[in-house]
Amino acid sequence: MISLERSRLVRMAVPAHPSCAAGVRRTVAAHLARWELSAILDDAVLATDELFANAVRHASADPADTIAVVLESSGRELRVTLADPSPVPPRPRTVTSFAESGRGLSIVSALADDWGTEPPEPGDAGKRVWFSLAVREPM
């Protein structure tokens, strides 16, 4: 995992493997704590975890695939973006109460102030999925 921090911007390239999820959660939590964003830390970590799990499960086919994770804080808003190699956009699913999966985007939607998708960076394949959270005062 590579992390580059400039002011309030962090970019990471993470192997697209489920075993990397805990490291992503720890890294996001550490940066948000350093930026004194504890009021939104739990929501941001959970939403990031859900998007990372979706990217690993639905968007990576090659063991060499990576997922780019970008954290950006403007002071009033945190934006987290994950880029994966699949061009297929994520779609929220309707699941039964007995389903063991399929709630990831519903969780992100419930936690985030906004979320969506964008085309990849120029020269990259796939897509970017992002969410934003307004920065709130610590409780």
Side-chain angles (χ1 to χ4, degrees):
M1 186 176 331
I2 301 168
S3 177
L4 170 67
E5 182 176 354
R6 287 188 194 141
S7 182
R8 293 191 173 229
L9 172 67
V10 175
R11 297 179 190 273
M12 300 176 279
V14 183
H17 193 273
S19 66
C20 296
V24 171
R25 291 190 301 270
R26 282 191 304 271
T27 302
V28 170
H31 285 291
L32 270 56
R34 186 176 303 121
W35 294 345
E36 299 179 359
L37 297 177
S38 60
I40 60 172
L41 188 146
D42 291 339
D43 289 349
V45 169
L46 180 54
T48 303
D49 190 51
E50 291 297 336
L51 291 184
F52 185 79
N54 282 354
V56 168
R57 183 173 186 173
H58 301 291
S60 68
D62 186 321
D65 285 343
T66 60
I67 297 168
V69 181
V70 179
L71 310 174
E72 300 173 85
S73 175
S74 67
R76 293 189 314 251
E77 179 182 79
L78 172 72
R79 181 173 166 131
V80 178
T81 305
L82 283 82
D84 64 56
S86 172
V88 179
R91 290 175 299 166
R93 298 191 303 177
T94 302
V95 295
T96 67
S97 59
F98 301 107
E100 293 183 13
S101 65
R103 293 178 182 83
L105 290 177
S106 296
I107 291 169
V108 171
S109 182
L111 295 172
D113 293 311
D114 198 10
W115 76 274
T117 62
E118 296 176 339
E121 291 285 342
D124 288 346
K127 67 181 168 302
R128 293 180 289 174
V129 183
W130 59 270
F131 70 87
S132 63
L133 291 166
V135 174
R136 301 184 295 273
E137 294 296 317
M139 299 177 139

